[in-house]
C-alpha cells in the first residue's frame, strides 16, 4: 500500500512538474515530452511485436527477446550505479577542497570586519572625540573573542565532515580575529593607510578628563596618566593569572579530597594538601605565566611609543577579560592549555 502511494505520488509530482515546465520553459519541456513519447511508442511497438510473434508460435524467440531486454535493464542499472558512484566521489572531492580552503572563508570575514570597524572608527573620529568609541570597540572586540573561545562550545565528540568544517572555520576565525584586533589597535590612529580614503586619513582627537590621549606614552612632560594606565593594565593581568592558579589549585584540591579522604582529616594534612595542589597548579601554569610576562612586556614597549589611546585600549581589554574570567570561571581552567595564536607565536619566536 505504501509503495502504491509512493508511485501514485511520483506520477502526480511528475505531471505537475511537466505542467509548470510547459508554462515556464515550453521549449525544453516540449523536447522532454517528445523523448518520453518516443520511448512510450517504442515500448508499445515492441510489446505488439512480441504479441504477434507469440501468436505465430514463436514462443522461444519471444522468451529470448525478453531475456535480452532483462539483461539490457541490468546494464541500465549498472550505468545508473556508475553515475551515482561518480557523483558521490565528486561530492567527496568537493568536500575535501572546501575543508582545505575553509580558513580562507574565516580570513575573508575577519578582514571585512577589520575594514568595517576601521572605516566606522575613522568616520566618527573625523568629527567627534574617539575616547568613548575606543572603549566601546575594545569591549566589543574582546567580548566577541572571549565568547568564541568559551570552553564547551559545540559537541566535540561528534564527527563527520560538517563538524570538521565547522571546527576548522571556528579555529581559523578565532586566530584571524586575534590578528585583526591587534592590527586594528595598531592602525586605528594612523594617517598613512593606503586602503583608507584621503578624507579619513586625518588626525584623531581623544581626551580623558583634560588629558590628551593622542600624546605619546613616554611624554616626559606629563607621564602620570601613562604610569597609571600601565600600572592598572599590569595589575589586572596579574590578578587574572593568579585567579587561574587559584581555581586550578582548588580543582586539584577537590580531586585530592575524593581520592585520599583519609589524608585530609587534620589541619596539618589539609595545609599540606593545599600546598600540593597549589604547586601542581603553578607547575602547569608556569609556561603561561612566562608567556604573559613576555607578551605584556612586548606590548607595553610597543604601545608606549604610540599615543596613550592605545594604552587605554590595552587597559580596557584587560579589564574586559577579567570580567569574563569572573563570569565564566571555566575559562580559568582551560586557558592554561596555551592553544591561542599568541601563545603559539611566542613559543616559536621566543622559544618559551
Amino acid at each position: 500500500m505504501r509503495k502504491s502511494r509512493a508511485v501514485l505520488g511520483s506520477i502526480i509530482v511528475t505531471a505537475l512538474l511537466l505542467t509548470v515546465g510547459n508554462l515556464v520553459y515550453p521549449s525544453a519541456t516540449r523536447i522532454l515530452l517528445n523523448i518520453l513519447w518516443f520511448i512510450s511508442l517504442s515500448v508499445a511497438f515492441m510489446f505488439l511485436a512480441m504479441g504477434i510473434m507469440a501468436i505465430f508460435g514463436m514462443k522461444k524467440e519471444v522468451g529470448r527477446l525478453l531475456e535480452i531486454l532483462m539483461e539490457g535493464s541490468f546494464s541500465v542499472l549498472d550505468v545508473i550505479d556508475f553515475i551515482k558512484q561518480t557523483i558521490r566521489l565528486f561530492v567527496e572531492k568537493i568536500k575535501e577542497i572546501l575543508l582545505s580552503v575553509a580558513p580562507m572563508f574565516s580570513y575573508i570575514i575577519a578582514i571585512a570586519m577589520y575594514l568595517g570597524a576601521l572605516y566606522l572608527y575613522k568616520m566618527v573620529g573625523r568629527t567627534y572625540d574617539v575616547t568613548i568609541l575606543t572603549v566601546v570597540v575594545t569591549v566589543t572586540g574582546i567580548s566577541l573573542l572571549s565568547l568564541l573561545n568559551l570552553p564547551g562550545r559545540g559537541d566535540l565528540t561528534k564527527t563527520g565532515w560538517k563538524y570538521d568544517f565547522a571546527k576548522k572555520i571556528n579555529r581559523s576565525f578565532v586566530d584571524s580575529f586575534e590578528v585583526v584586533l591587534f592590527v586594528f589597535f595598531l592602525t586605528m590612529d594612523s594617517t598613512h593607510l593606503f586602503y583608507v580614503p584621503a578624507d579619513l586619513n586625518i588626525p584623531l582627537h581623544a581626551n580623558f578628563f583634560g588629558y590628551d590621549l593622542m600624546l605619546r606614552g613616554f611624554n616626559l612632560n606629563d607621564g602620570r596618566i601613562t604610569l597609571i594606565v600601565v600600572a592598572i593594565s599590569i595589575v589586572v593581568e596579574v590578578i587574572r593569572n593568579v585567579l587561574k592558579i587559584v581555581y586550578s589549585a582548588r580543582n586539584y584540591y577537590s580531586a585530592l579530597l575524593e581520592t585520599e579522604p583519609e589524608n585530609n582529616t587534620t589541619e596539618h594534612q589539609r595545609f599540606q594538601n593545599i600546598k600540593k595542589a597549589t604547586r601542581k597548579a603553578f607547575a602547569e601554569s608556569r609556561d603561561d605565566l612566562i608567556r604573559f610576562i613576555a607578551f605584556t612586556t612586548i606590548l607595553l614597549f610597543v604601545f608606549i611609543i604610540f599615543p596613550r589611546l592605545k594604552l587605554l585600549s590595552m587597559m580596557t581589554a584587560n579589564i574586559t577579560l577579567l570580567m569574563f574570567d569572573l563570569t565564566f570561571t571555566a575559562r580559568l581552567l582551560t586557558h592554561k592549555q596555551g592553544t591561542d595564536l599568541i601563545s603559539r607565536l611566542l613559543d616559536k619566536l621566543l622559544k618559551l
Side-chain angles (χ1 to χ4, degrees):
M1 187 65 179
R2 185 175 300 175
K3 292 182 178 180
S4 300
R5 290 179 179 176
V7 172
L8 180 60
S10 300
I11 294 173
I12 294 174
V13 170
T14 303
L16 290 174
L17 290 175
L18 290 174
T19 303
V20 174
N22 191 43
L23 296 174
V24 180
Y25 301 105
S27 300
T29 305
R30 191 175 299 112
I31 294 173
L32 181 60
L33 288 173
N34 289 335
I35 294 173
L36 293 175
W37 178 245
F38 175 77
I39 294 174
S40 300
L41 285 179
S42 300
V43 172
F45 176 78
M46 192 172 297
F47 181 83
L48 292 175
M50 287 190 295
I52 294 172
M53 291 170 65
I55 291 173
F56 283 95
M58 301 173 66
K59 180 180 178 181
K60 184 177 180 180
E61 286 73 11
V62 172
R64 290 183 58 189
L65 184 58
L66 288 173
E67 290 178 359
I68 292 173
L69 292 175
M70 183 185 67
E71 293 297 330
S73 65
F74 289 159
S75 299
V76 172
L77 292 177
D78 291 337
V79 171
I80 294 174
D81 183 64
F82 172 76
I83 293 174
K84 290 173 63 177
Q85 293 293 335
T86 303
I87 293 175
R88 188 177 295 112
L89 180 61
F90 179 75
V91 171
E92 290 298 325
K93 292 298 181 183
I94 293 295
K95 287 182 177 180
E96 290 179 7
I97 294 173
L98 288 176
L99 200 60
S100 62
V101 300
M104 294 300 299
F105 298 111
S106 300
Y107 301 153
I108 292 172
I109 295 173
I111 292 173
M113 293 178 67
Y114 163 71
L115 292 176
L118 185 65
Y119 271 65
L120 174 64
Y121 190 83
K122 293 282 190 178
M123 290 174 65
V124 174
R126 185 169 52 184
T127 308
Y128 302 100
D129 185 286
V130 294
T131 304
I132 297 178
L133 179 61
T134 301
V135 173
V136 171
V137 171
T138 303
V139 172
T140 303
I142 295 299
S143 298
L144 178 58
L145 185 61
S146 299
L147 290 172
L148 290 173
N149 276 321
L150 280 181
R153 293 180 65 253
D155 190 350
L156 300 180
T157 62
K158 291 184 178 180
T159 58
W161 179 84
K162 64 178 182 179
Y163 298 106
D164 294 338
F165 184 79
K167 285 191 291 185
K168 204 164 186 178
I169 285 281
N170 181 73
R171 184 67 262 169
S172 301
F173 181 75
V174 170
D175 287 347
S176 56
F177 193 70
E178 288 180 10
V179 175
V180 159
L181 279 180
F182 186 71
V183 173
F184 175 81
F185 291 135
L186 284 179
T187 60
M188 62 185 183
D189 61 330
S190 176
T191 58
H192 305 287
L193 301 177
F194 67 90
Y195 45 86
V196 173
D199 61 329
L200 295 181
N201 268 323
I202 56 176
L204 302 176
H205 303 282
N207 289 275
F208 184 72
F209 291 108
Y211 291 98
D212 187 0
L213 296 179
M214 299 312 295
L215 293 177
R216 295 186 182 276
F218 62 81
N219 188 285
L220 298 178
N221 296 327
D222 185 10
R224 186 175 62 174
I225 187 67
T226 300
L227 292 176
I228 292 174
V229 173
V230 169
I232 293 175
S233 300
I234 293 177
V235 169
V236 169
E237 279 296 286
V238 169
I239 292 173
R240 289 185 62 225
N241 282 272
V242 170
L243 280 175
K244 292 171 189 175
I245 296 176
V246 170
Y247 272 82
S248 183
R250 190 180 67 174
N251 216 34
Y252 288 129
Y253 181 74
S254 299
L256 285 174
L257 292 183
E258 293 179 2
T259 56
E260 303 175 10
E262 68 281 358
N263 294 329
N264 200 65
T265 55
T266 66
E267 190 70 25
H268 177 71
Q269 288 175 331
R270 283 194 291 270
F271 183 70
Q272 293 300 319
N273 286 335
I274 290 173
K275 289 199 299 183
K276 183 178 179 181
T278 304
R279 288 194 184 100
K280 188 172 183 180
F282 176 79
E284 289 195 352
S285 301
R286 183 173 51 197
D287 290 341
D288 275 341
L289 285 172
I290 296 173
R291 293 189 193 99
F292 150 69
I293 295 171
F295 177 69
T296 304
T297 303
I298 293 172
L299 205 60
L300 284 173
F301 276 116
V302 169
F303 277 13
I304 208 168
I305 66 175
F306 289 105
R308 298 166 177 170
L309 186 64
K310 298 183 188 296
L311 290 173
L312 176 65
S313 299
M314 180 180 175
M315 183 187 71
T316 305
N318 292 344
I319 294 174
T320 304
L321 289 170
L322 177 60
M323 294 300 102
F324 267 88
D325 287 342
L326 294 174
T327 305
F328 304 98
T329 53
R331 283 168 45 89
L332 299 171
L333 299 176
T334 57
H335 188 72
K336 64 177 181 289
Q337 296 173 356
T339 58
D340 57 283
L341 180 63
I342 292 174
S343 297
R344 299 200 302 270
L345 288 176
L346 288 174
D347 284 341
K348 291 182 179 180
L349 295 177
L350 303 180
K351 308 298 183 183
L352 297 178

